[in-house]
């Protein structure tokens, strides 16, 4: 049986934590689609043209090195505006979404473009200030040399680019459930997301 959960939203809104929690709770597979764009973005930092990097991308690259740096995040959002890059990554994401046993994908266009028929669509948001603070603490914990202001500027710049691009802009699907995590703990946010999935899960799952 297949069942797809599409989770979209801006940077550091809590998509990753919620996706992992749902995958664990229901035994679904999880794909952080941001890693695909980050892996392509990292290749462009070495001078590889973005479309070429996207077409040649191998699943193993998602596991190699630390893709969650501020520099790679910016490179990812720059390659993500290129239509050839996006189209080269579609098949991999759809194959993942339709695998047996259930799948959770998180990103920016999962509910709108990649899986418009997903059984569950969630759009996770939080204020830019709250999101920047979360990302700042994450980066600091890894020893990165960043300030709160830099992270806030970065997050806002990336959100603007993601929301304003003409191909697959970040936006909620018309039938997405909205989840604002600004004043929720991780446990509260996950509990709300789990309840939404439970309502849609077939009784014989
Ligand atoms: O989610 P994450 O912050 O890792 O994503 C990095 C960048 O990849 C985003 O800022 C966005 O530009 C791009 N992205 C996208 N579509 C997705 C996932 C990520 O455009 N489905």
């Amino acid at each position: 049986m297949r069942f797809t959960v599409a989770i979209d939203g801006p940077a550091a809104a809590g998509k990753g934590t919620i996706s992992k929690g749902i995958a664990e709770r229901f035994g679904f597979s999880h794909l952080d689609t941001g890693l695909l764009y980050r892996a392509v973005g990292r290749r462009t930092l070495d001078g590889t043209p973005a479309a070429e990097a996207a077409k040649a991308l191998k699943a193993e690259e998602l596991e190699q090195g630390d893709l969650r740096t501020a520099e790679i995040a910016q490179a990812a959002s720059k390659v993500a505006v290129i239509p050839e890059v996006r189209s080269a990554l579609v098949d991999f994401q759809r194959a993942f979404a339709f695998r047996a046993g259930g799948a959770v994908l998180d990103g920016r266009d999962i509910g709108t473009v990649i899986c418009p028929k997903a059984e569950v669509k969630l759009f996770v948001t939080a204020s830019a200030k709250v999101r920047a603070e979360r990302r700042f603490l994450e980066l600091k914990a890894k020893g990165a040399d960043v300030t709160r202001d830099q992270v806030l500027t970065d997050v806002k710049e990336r959100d603007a680019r993601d929301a304003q691009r003409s191909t697959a802009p970040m936006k909620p699907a018309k039938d997405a459930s909205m989840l604002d995590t600004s004043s929720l703990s991780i446990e509260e946010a996950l509990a709300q997301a789990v309840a939404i999935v439970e309502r849609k899960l077939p009784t014989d799952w």
Side-chain angles (χ1 to χ4, degrees):
M1 279 216 288
R2 48 157 297 273
F3 185 90
T4 309
V5 181
I7 303 189
D8 292 304
K15 300 186 301 289
T17 310
I18 291 174
S19 305
K20 280 191 212 105
I22 288 183
E24 210 168 286
R25 169 78 173 67
F26 296 99
F28 297 160
S29 305
H30 170 226
L31 177 65
D32 170 357
T33 66
L35 289 181
L36 302 174
Y37 294 90
R38 285 173 183 259
V40 174
R42 177 172 60 189
R43 295 281 239 102
T44 64
L45 297 175
D46 313 332
T48 309
E52 190 183 302
K55 284 177 196 151
L57 190 69
K58 303 258 180 323
E60 307 88 83
E61 285 177 57
L62 309 183
E63 321 265 325
Q64 289 159 359
D66 183 10
L67 286 168
R68 295 176 209 279
T69 66
E71 188 191 17
I72 294 178
Q74 282 294 344
S77 94
K78 287 180 189 153
V79 302
V81 306
I82 305 169
E84 292 91 325
V85 167
R86 304 202 70 85
S87 61
L89 302 177
V90 167
D91 289 350
F92 180 83
Q93 295 176 81
R94 290 201 178 134
F96 192 97
F98 296 141
R99 58 171 55 194
V104 188
L105 286 82
D106 71 287
R108 304 290 186 290
D109 63 340
I110 308 302
T112 50
V113 174
I114 303 296
C115 302
K117 295 200 173 136
E119 282 73 15
V120 175
K121 292 178 202 165
L122 264 178
F123 195 83
V124 183
T125 58
S127 71
K129 204 153 176 258
V130 166
R131 292 186 291 111
E133 180 66 17
R134 289 178 187 161
R135 188 48 51 90
F136 171 73
L137 295 174
E138 247 171 62
L139 292 169
K140 270 294 191 203
K142 290 200 297 187
D145 179 21
V146 286
T147 66
R148 284 191 162 77
D149 279 354
Q150 270 167 359
V151 177
L152 180 62
T153 307
D154 237 51
V155 159
K156 284 184 171 166
E157 199 184 306
R158 204 143 66 88
D159 288 348
R161 201 183 292 125
D162 290 345
Q164 286 159 18
R165 66 181 174 226
S166 48
T167 309
M170 168 179 71
K171 64 174 178 193
K174 285 197 180 70
D175 53 349
S177 305
M178 303 297 288
L179 181 55
D180 186 332
T181 66
S182 303
S183 53
L184 298 180
S185 66
I186 291 171
E187 293 74 23
E188 288 166 337
L190 182 57
Q192 292 198 17
V194 164
I196 293 169
V197 174
E198 268 167 352
R199 283 203 291 277
K200 299 275 173 77
L201 208 59
T203 46
D204 58 345
W205 182 265

